[in-house]
Amino acid sequence: MCGIVGYVGNKAATNIIISGLHRLEYRGYDSSGVALLNPRTSRLNIVKTPGKIDDLETSLAAEMPAESTGATLGIGHTRWATHGEPNRVNAHPHLSRNGEFAIVHNGIIENYIALKSRLAQEGFEFVSDTDSEVIAQLVEQCYEGDLTRAVAATLEMVEGTYGIAVISVHHPSTMVAARKGSPIAVGICDGETIVASDVSAIVQHTKQVIFLNDGDILTATGDNVEVVSVKNVPVSRETTHIDWDIDQIEKAGHEHFMLKEIHEQPTAISNATRGRLVDSEGTTKLSGMQMDPYEMARIDRILIAACGTSMYAGMVGKNYFEDFASIPAEVQQAAEFRYRNPIIQRDTYMLAISQSGETADTLAAVREAQRKGATVLGVCNVVGSTIARETGRGVYLHAGPEIGVASTKAFTCQVSVMAMMAIALGRTRRLSTQVGQRMVREMMSLPEMAQAVIDQEEDIRRIAEKYAKAEDFFFIGRGYMYPVAMEGALKLKEISYIHAEGYHAAELKHGPIALLGEDVPVVGLVPDIQGKDKTIGNMQECMARKAPVIAIATEGDKDIDAHCDDVIRIPPCAEFLTPIPVVIAEQLFAYHVAKIRGCSIDQPRNLAKSVTVE
Ligand code: G6P
């Protein structure tokens, strides 16, 4: 999705903005641009281009006046098109009519048509098809010598969501930023301030970050930051120390972030479980839940709201809560939740699962559940993200930054975290010390298990090569493997653009089996779990229709070869943990298929890492 980087300070803004925009590339975008305040002419110079940041750099070299490249004030943007096609004109920054104000905007201005027609009647001309351009014109119209007040007055008129950064020729060392529904982080350095929609554009410069809340307006110079509300009341925002370092957001020798993140899973799972597994008591300790056993024992229903990969992790989690803690659990697509008028009872707890902590629909579901009186816990990866802050309690994944658009390590850490939550809740109910201990010990071997799958990458790559030309795929499984089948299909379609569907193995014959044939491979998820034999039966049905079958099965299962064409083997493990090794095998399979097909793995077409619009 769109990204913002703004700089004010004592250094040349261009390099900092461009390197920040590179860091935001992973979010997905289709055009970009930069506005710099030319110190000699006191004019705003803007360069924009469709395509990649590399194209923007080429355009900057060709079009930006030389003295502007030394500017110490500037804003940059990566745009993921919503209103208007991804071309140069629609790219941000947008200039106001008189050229004195430049803005970048993430989010959607819902009443832009009404605002645009009013401004047009008053003589403002619009050059783009975007909703964002109205902000630039409104700031110009509202300006009476104070940029912050002009932005505040503008924001009082707009409806919708925004993260914005604004600069003006009248204030050569000031940047104003604001947020409502779209994140803005503010990096505080010595003599410099960097504003960005994502901390990954900031951490190479500083670890001291302020996160704006909805309704905050920031006025920043190099030496000072002030935050006020739209009504101009000063507010104080704590500085958060970000412990991600730059190595974590670089590829570390891997060809793609996705591959790096797949390989990081043993470490990520260790970090997610470190200090949280209490062997002696057969339980887990998750202080972020902020719950005593009394409260835990009282929960009588869990609602899980999430999107995409996080939703499939949530479906695994649902099984955990029901199997280990006997708490009825339900998973809802977050967008569905917010509009369905869900039933929330007194002891209903909601889990909002989100890697980024910024997904618009998940955030809206959190707010709706809170409005209805539910206690909401966040299961997020990004520290300080909106969902993490608004829920106030929950469990961080500690998986480290996930840059590849296709989520990998977040899934395995989400599943690990929910297993730990379910064990803790189960221990306040019917789960005995002995069973708890066994589960905790099994969880301790997860990093090793993850590594054992990664060690088979070459075999998985060979199988990928055999099937990379297929244009349709099915993934089938039951029980714990049902959501993992959907996640496997999602991984494949996200990065290889192969049409893939995840189905409950039993459901295949209620329709989809009509599509099977020799060109449609089926991946059967059959580790040693309950119901495996039935799924093997379904695989036989596929083979009888000439579909090639790839099994993901447990090492040592000699019988499986008779029921498939190829086998990917995972190490033996407890049934509840099988989603983790199986999904890693699926991730590697999807990765290699996409690589063989020459796809853009880290930034697949049309996808965004963090979906901050509905
Ligand atoms: C986007 C990403 C997916 C992700 C989903 C939910 O669609 O491309 O990989 O699973 O958003 O994101 P979240 O940050 O809420 O987990």
Side-chain angles (χ1 to χ4, degrees):
M1 290 262 132
C2 304
I4 289 176
V5 184
Y7 176 85
V8 56
N10 45 25
K11 296 202 186 109
T14 321
N15 294 345
I16 292 166
I17 293 172
I18 291 292
S19 72
L21 292 179
H22 272 300
R23 301 260 174 243
L24 300 185
E25 285 192 282
Y26 77 93
R27 296 169 64 97
Y29 70 106
D30 34 46
S31 56
S32 60
V34 169
L36 296 168
L37 183 74
N38 186 319
R40 189 178 64 79
T41 61
S42 291
R43 287 170 64 93
L44 286 165
N45 291 115
I46 292 190
V47 171
K48 318 195 267 193
T49 179
K52 296 290 173 191
I53 303 298
D54 291 345
D55 302 315
L56 178 65
E57 288 187 79
T58 311
S59 304
L60 272 171
E63 298 167 31
M64 188 58 89
E67 64 271 16
S68 274
T69 52
T72 53
L73 176 68
I75 50 179
H77 192 259
T78 49
R79 173 172 186 256
W80 186 82
T82 57
H83 297 66
E85 61 178 270
N87 58 23
R88 199 189 69 77
V89 176
N90 289 333
H92 300 211
H94 291 287
L95 264 189
S96 71
R97 175 183 56 175
N98 63 13
E100 292 175 0
F101 302 88
I103 68 103
V104 286
H105 167 228
N106 290 357
I108 290 179
I109 304 303
E110 283 161 8
N111 60 339
Y112 82 102
I113 293 178
L115 291 169
K116 202 166 167 174
S117 74
R118 176 174 69 69
L119 285 161
Q121 278 164 18
E122 292 164 14
F124 284 87
E125 278 169 24
F126 288 82
V127 293
S128 78
D129 304 319
T130 67
D131 53 332
S132 311
E133 196 183 351
V134 295
I135 300 174
Q137 314 293 18
L138 285 172
V139 172
E140 175 186 319
Q141 192 178 54
C142 297
Y143 183 71
E144 290 174 351
D146 182 332
L147 187 59
T148 311
R149 296 315 311 142
V151 170
T154 297
L155 297 181
E156 295 222 68
M157 284 183 262
V158 304
E159 287 163 19
T161 55
Y162 51 78
I164 56 167
V166 184
I167 56 175
S168 164
V169 297
H170 301 292
H171 302 271
S173 40
T174 302
M175 180 171 32
V176 174
R179 79 158 270 173
K180 185 178 153 206
S182 199
I184 293 285
V186 186
I188 312 290
C189 324
D190 196 17
E192 310 168 274
T193 304
I194 303 165
V195 163
S197 50
D198 183 324
V199 286
S200 55
I202 295 176
V203 287
Q204 78 183 106
H205 305 287
T206 177
K207 301 280 164 56
Q208 302 304 112
V209 174
I210 292 172
F211 293 98
L212 296 193
N213 279 2
D214 278 354
D216 287 354
I217 303 179
L218 166 93
T219 309
T221 61
D223 301 315
N224 192 32
V225 294
E226 277 169 20
V227 184
V228 295
S229 68
V230 180
K231 301 281 177 216
N232 205 18
V233 179
V235 287
S236 100
R237 295 283 167 239
E238 273 175 30
T239 307
T240 305
H241 181 85
I242 302 295
D243 56 9
W244 291 359
D245 61 36
I246 197 69
D247 296 343
Q248 288 179 284
I249 53 175
E250 308 230 293
K251 286 186 205 149
H254 290 280
E255 197 174 338
H256 297 98
F257 280 114
M258 183 181 177
L259 187 63
K260 174 184 173 240
E261 288 156 9
I262 293 172
H263 279 247
E264 274 172 354
Q265 289 176 106
T267 315
I269 297 168
S270 296
N271 292 342
T273 51
R274 178 166 304 122
R276 290 169 163 178
L277 299 170
V278 189
D279 185 13
S280 56
E281 292 162 35
T283 190
T284 62
K285 204 170 82 198
L286 298 158
S287 48
M289 285 173 76
Q290 297 169 33
M291 263 185 226
D292 58 22
Y294 174 75
E295 186 179 355
M296 286 191 185
R298 233 183 42 206
I299 300 175
D300 68 6
R301 188 162 153 247
I302 294 177
L303 280 178
I304 298 172
C307 301
T309 290
S310 297
M311 182 176 72
Y312 296 140
M315 289 170 73
V316 177
K318 166 197 155 70
N319 288 338
Y320 291 160
F321 295 119
E322 295 191 339
D323 291 352
F324 311 149
S326 312
I327 304 175
E330 190 180 318
V331 184
Q332 292 204 358
Q333 210 289 338
E336 195 58 21
F337 180 90
R338 66 189 289 196
Y339 292 117
R340 255 201 66 230
N341 195 17
I343 299 163
I344 306 274
Q345 285 141 335
R346 209 184 55 203
D347 292 320
T348 300
Y349 278 59
M350 184 205 246
L351 284 192
I353 306 173
S354 175
Q355 185 285 130
S356 62
E358 303 293 349
T359 300
D361 284 323
T362 312
L363 178 58
V366 166
R367 291 175 177 163
E368 181 59 18
Q370 286 173 332
R371 244 174 253 129
K372 286 183 155 32
T375 304
V376 185
L377 280 85
V379 175
C380 299
N381 189 36
V382 178
V383 175
S385 56
T386 310
I387 294 174
R389 284 181 296 127
E390 292 202 8
T391 50
R393 54 165 141 165
V395 185
Y396 276 122
L397 304 183
H398 299 309
E402 190 180 71
I403 308 287
V405 165
S407 190
T408 52
K409 60 179 177 173
F411 179 92
T412 46
C413 290
Q414 286 162 340
V415 167
S416 306
V417 161
M418 280 183 286
M420 290 188 289
M421 293 175 100
I423 292 172
L425 294 172
R427 292 287 287 115
T428 66
R429 293 152 192 257
R430 297 286 310 139
L431 202 70
S432 66
T433 314
Q434 290 75 13
V435 176
Q437 263 172 344
R438 204 174 64 223
M439 295 174 80
V440 162
R441 285 176 195 157
E442 279 156 349
M443 288 201 71
M444 284 172 172
S445 62
L446 268 176
E448 215 176 293
M449 225 182 293
Q451 190 56 51
V453 184
I454 293 166
D455 290 345
Q456 293 176 65
E457 183 169 0
E458 185 45 30
D459 290 343
I460 298 174
R461 192 198 62 74
R462 266 199 297 271
I463 298 174
E465 204 160 28
K466 193 165 158 192
Y467 296 99
K469 289 206 173 73
E471 288 306 330
D472 301 279
F473 254 90
F474 279 90
F475 286 69
I476 58 169
R478 59 182 71 221
Y480 282 115
M481 290 299 112
Y482 174 37
V484 180
M486 289 192 278
E487 173 59 10
L490 178 66
K491 278 301 81 91
L492 192 65
K493 65 188 143 204
E494 279 181 308
I495 58 168
S496 74
Y497 313 142
I498 293 176
H499 162 237
E501 294 192 42
Y503 256 90
H504 191 284
E507 191 62 21
L508 199 70
K509 57 176 125 14
H510 297 291
I513 201 163
L515 301 174
L516 295 189
E518 58 192 17
D519 299 333
V520 185
V522 177
V523 181
L525 308 182
V526 282
D528 285 342
I529 61 169
Q530 228 187 335
K532 159 187 149 179
D533 293 341
K534 296 204 185 308
T535 304
I536 290 178
N538 303 128
M539 285 157 56
Q540 287 290 4
E541 291 158 9
C542 300
M543 290 180 86
R545 270 97 196 155
K546 299 202 164 29
V549 172
I550 305 158
I552 303 186
T554 306
E555 217 173 84
D557 180 344
K558 292 202 180 60
D559 300 336
I560 195 66
D561 300 78
H563 307 291
C564 61
D565 298 281
D566 288 283
V567 192
I568 299 173
R569 298 190 191 270
I570 62 147
C573 68
E575 174 160 357
F576 79 105
L577 296 179
T578 50
I580 291 177
V582 172
V583 89
I584 296 174
E586 291 176 332
Q587 294 164 356
L588 284 167
F589 181 74
Y591 173 82
H592 283 289
V593 168
K595 193 172 160 203
I596 293 160
R597 290 167 71 100
C599 300
S600 164
I601 291 178
D602 284 333
Q603 292 154 39
R605 69 179 179 217
N606 305 338
L607 300 189
K609 180 71 183 158
S610 171
V611 178
T612 49
V613 296
E614 269 190 63

